[in-house]
């Protein structure tokens, strides 16, 4: 193990630790030792590439799925719940999620429901899941009407972010995680943003230290925000920076066409432009975001996204504005945006005139 | 309105009121007034007999089901969640459950999951749901492996126990509720038991005052227990008095053959006998329970249950002992019982030797 960091998430009633670093997964057997029984839900691809958790001393029933959005349904949730029953889990047992954000969301939801709640340990295996999805206790499945429309708040018992698993991610999946990394630095503030800029080359190359430092830093920021508002009644919505635009992009492109974090990356650029307009101030934020996006090989703006994914016909201003009305996080009515006056200076619930939006999304 | 009682349930974070009495349903429109949107899930039979909630000023989308255990599935839960989406509910909306315990459990679960939780108002229409299921925030659906295996804790926003709805219940459904009424008096203590004995004739006849007094008293007891242990880590398990035996009866008879509260009634009698053996004390509790059961037309003991439901071949001591191993509330391993030294003097987690059980269940 090179460098292991422990981030404490001090949510009331059920505080927990996030273990970050290459090789931290070797601690999982000890973390499950207190349970009367253990069961594991895994991503099949991850098991094929890295072996299943028996390698790390977890001797338990295992259920495997192909990762991806299509497993986040009530039908698959029932399979996981039936698996919990077949594994004779009790409220003193532990369910382990070993995979990306989809396996984590699904398994976390099953853990919150089986016998009205047992402990879940998250072992996120994508960058996106390590820096974002695995921490904070949101679980979800999708409904026909939209993404993440049903779920629970159920904080994990522990999280193991083993950065040693990230080397096998496809470039697109890795970049998708980097979108959320940039978002998190913008929420945290200037020092985090400057630090990210200074290591962007190493991080793009998945260098060991850059990777663990970044995941630890993002988890620390996310933990701070989550602790301030565990059930997303206010402050936690700052984590939606860039997401109102991202959801419009995903909606207009057709869900699944653009990886979520890549839509977020471009959404951050749009949020920076929108902020300049709304606050009538000119900052270098858009430029700095653009440089980071380019350094990571992400599309630097909406135009580049359109051409890279051949979505010129789909991502028109009209289609995007229509998509903004479908944002699942906003209240009823007009879309609300999370904007920034500067790094770390976030404002929630901002409305933007349609005319301005049309200009932005042209 | 004759006599309305308001019972306050002081659970942390989300305290609420239970309104009990004939005609209290006229208060429902005011209770939903604060919501941005409202939607109602109803029992079809109840709407046919008593009209839907538009009669009481709730003008909202409505979804109807035939009540009964068969709606407590993940498939039907998805229908309710899709209905929430189609009704454009937000986290500021209110979902109303208008029916027996099955509609209440299903709708409560949907409310806890849609957008990770919105408010639910329970309007229980069976005696069992008024005195037990609607208060305390347990929600559930069934899995193939067993009853109530998946669910949440989600306290209602308000509960309306309109005793004016209970006149149309079948005798069996009414008696089923009376089983839980006796249980609740035994948990509460001597004054409650004596009071129940004194009004047993009126209550059996569904007299207005006896009914509201009883529902209010049961709700008060249940509220006290729930507040002491909202997520059932200890004390709340006292509400399972009679239930280890009842679940064995339901399991051995085949679920649905014996109404739940009637199995509980006989389970209480068995718990009294078991308590006498375990505590090597002779009380008149078994006799008093037997007199109440008879007064309410309930089977007074296991023998009478067997003959009334022609279950002599199914409810053998062997089958019942096998069924005890299937108790969903007990920890892993041997069944645990809730026993009583006397009214209000409850002990949790008691083990009973198989030999003793064989005698009891002969
Ligand atoms: N709960 C939250 O707070 C939260 C936050 C953000 C996102 N999410 C959810 O997370 C999901 C997206 O997560 P994701 O991007 O991890 O998707 P994912 O789980 O679908 O994983 C993406 C792909 O990577 C593969 N994969 C996983 N680990 C790998 C590894 N180590 N090497 C090679 N391939 C690997 C998977 O098989 C899958 O094909 C979405 O459903 C989103 O809604 C949840
Ligand atoms: N959540 C809890 O704490 C809790 C506690 C106890 C029981 N329960 C659950 O409650 C369920 C049983 O509840 P139930 O006995 O109300 O069953 P139910 O909902 O199936 O109702 C029983 C029958 O009565 C009919 N009905 C309802 N109201 C009526 C009325 N006013 N007049 C005439 N008919 C009417 C229904 O159509 C149904 O056929 C079980 O699923 C059990 O698990 C939950
Ligand atoms: Zn995101
Ligand atoms: Zn019961």
């Amino acid at each position: 193990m090179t460098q292991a960091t422990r981030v404490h998430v001090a949510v009331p009633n059920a505080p927990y630790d996030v273990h970050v670093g290459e090789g931290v997964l070797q601690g999982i057997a000890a973390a499950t030792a207190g349970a009367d029984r253990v069961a594991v839900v895994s991503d099949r691809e991850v098991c094929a590439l890295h072996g299943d958790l028996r390698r790390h001393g977890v001797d338990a029933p295992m259920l495997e799925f192909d990762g991806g959005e299509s497993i986040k349904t009530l039908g698959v949730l029932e399979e996981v719940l039936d698996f919990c029953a077949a594994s004779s889990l009790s409220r003193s047992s532990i369910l382990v999620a070993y995979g990306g954000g989809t396996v984590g969301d699904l398994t976390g939801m099953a853990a919150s429901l089986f016998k009205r709640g047992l402990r879940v340990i998250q072992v996120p295996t994508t960058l996106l899941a390590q820096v974002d999805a695995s921490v904070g206790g949101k679980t979800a499945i999708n409904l026909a009407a939209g993404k993440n429309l049903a779920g629970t708040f159920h904080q994990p018992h522990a999280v193991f972010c083993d950065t040693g698993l990230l080397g096998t991610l496809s470039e697109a999946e890795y970049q998708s995680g980097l979108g959320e990394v940039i978002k998190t630095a913008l929420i945290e503030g200037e020092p985090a943003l400057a630090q990210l800029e200074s290591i962007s080359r190493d991080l793009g190359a998945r260098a060991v230290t850059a990777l663990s430092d970044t995941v630890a830093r993002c988890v620390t920021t996310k933990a701070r925000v989550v602790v301030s508002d565990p059930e997303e009644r206010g402050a936690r919505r700052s984590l939606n920076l860039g997401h109102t635009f991202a959801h419009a992009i995903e909606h207009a492109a057709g869900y699944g066409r653009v990886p979520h974090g890549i839509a977020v990356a471009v959404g951050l650029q749009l949020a920076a432009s929108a902020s300049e307009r709304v606050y009538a101030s000119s900052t270098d934020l858009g430029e700095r975001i653009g440089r980071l996006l380019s350094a990571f090989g992400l599309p630097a703006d909406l135009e580049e996204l359109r051409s890279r994914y051949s979505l010129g016909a789909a991502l028109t201003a009209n289609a995007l504005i229509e998509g903004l009305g479908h944002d699942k996080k906003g209240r009823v009515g007009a879309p609300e945006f999370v904007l920034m006056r500067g790094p770390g200076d976030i404002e929630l619930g901002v409305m933007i005139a349609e005319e301005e939006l049309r200009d932005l999304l042209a």
Side-chain angles (χ1 to χ4, degrees), chain A:
Chain A
M1 199 185 307
T2 47
Q3 223 189 336
T5 312
R6 203 166 46 82
V7 180
H8 187 67
V9 187
V11 285
N13 301 323
Y16 57 98
D17 286 329
V18 183
H19 305 272
V20 180
E22 192 164 307
V24 294
L25 204 36
Q26 68 184 46
I28 181 119
T32 58
D36 65 347
R37 282 201 170 77
V38 178
V40 183
V41 180
S42 310
D43 183 301
R44 185 167 287 129
E45 179 73 7
V46 174
C47 290
L49 290 166
H50 298 277
D52 67 35
L53 291 185
R54 267 174 296 214
R55 261 173 61 104
H56 300 280
V58 177
D59 179 25
M62 309 215 167
L63 181 65
E64 285 189 7
F65 291 108
D66 292 319
E69 213 52 42
S70 64
I71 63 171
K72 286 177 58 176
T73 66
L74 276 166
V76 178
L77 180 72
E78 184 151 26
E79 286 182 50
V80 179
L81 291 167
D82 288 343
F83 167 68
C84 292
S87 307
S88 303
L89 300 192
S90 76
R91 287 182 73 190
S92 309
S93 304
I94 289 179
L95 194 60
V96 180
Y98 179 49
T102 57
V103 167
D105 277 11
L106 172 74
T107 308
M109 184 157 171
S112 71
L113 297 180
F114 190 70
K115 297 193 175 173
R116 298 197 186 87
L118 47 83
R119 292 171 288 175
V120 66
I121 291 181
Q122 294 284 353
V123 183
T125 63
T126 64
L127 179 60
L128 186 138
Q130 292 195 357
V131 299
D132 191 354
S134 63
V135 177
K138 276 203 206 175
T139 81
I141 52 100
N142 306 322
L143 298 180
K147 265 203 62 166
N148 295 335
L149 275 181
T152 53
F153 289 100
H154 185 65
Q155 300 294 337
H157 176 60
V159 183
F160 289 86
C161 296
D162 193 329
T163 49
L165 299 167
L166 304 180
T168 53
L169 282 176
S170 72
E171 195 55 25
E173 294 297 349
Y174 187 69
Q175 287 177 341
S176 183
L178 289 173
E180 303 283 5
V181 167
I182 302 173
K183 174 196 81 174
T184 309
L186 287 167
I187 292 170
E188 186 58 23
E190 181 54 41
L193 186 61
Q195 146 83 0
L196 181 59
E197 289 169 333
S198 77
I199 62 164
S200 60
R201 184 187 301 241
D202 283 356
L203 187 59
R206 310 190 199 187
V208 171
T209 309
L211 212 41
S212 334
D213 286 357
T214 300
V215 173
R217 188 147 201 167
C218 288
V219 167
T220 304
T221 301
K222 175 131 190 199
R224 183 180 56 70
V225 176
V226 164
V227 166
S228 75
D229 175 23
E231 302 212 340
E232 197 168 22
R233 307 200 185 280
R236 184 166 178 169
R237 276 185 274 149
S238 65
L239 296 170
N240 290 328
L241 183 66
H243 278 63
T244 307
F245 289 114
H247 291 147
I249 290 169
E250 293 178 271
H251 185 266
Y255 275 99
R257 280 294 297 279
V258 180
H260 172 68
I262 295 179
V264 169
V266 174
L268 294 170
Q269 184 62 282
L270 289 166
S273 306
S275 301
E276 288 208 7
R277 282 169 184 260
V278 168
Y279 302 128
S281 72
S282 119
T283 68
D284 61 352
L285 216 47
E287 228 171 278
R288 291 175 74 184
I289 294 171
R291 273 199 301 271
L292 277 171
L293 297 179
S294 300
F296 293 147
L298 284 157
D301 55 25
L302 188 56
E303 209 36 56
E304 208 178 317
L305 180 77
R306 285 184 179 118
S307 67
R308 192 180 299 183
Y309 287 85
S310 312
L311 285 170
L315 297 184
T316 61
N318 273 340
L320 290 167
I321 284 176
E322 207 269 321
L324 285 170
H326 282 82
D327 180 32
K328 292 303 171 304
K329 304 288 165 110
R331 311 289 109 173
V332 182
E336 294 185 2
F337 296 83
V338 180
L339 297 187
M340 47 195 165
R341 293 180 192 273
D345 190 358
I346 306 293
E347 190 180 7
L348 304 178
V350 182
M351 314 281 252
I352 303 179
E354 188 171 325
E355 219 165 282
E356 300 275 356
L357 287 173
R358 246 172 231 296
D359 270 11
L360 274 171
L361 300 170

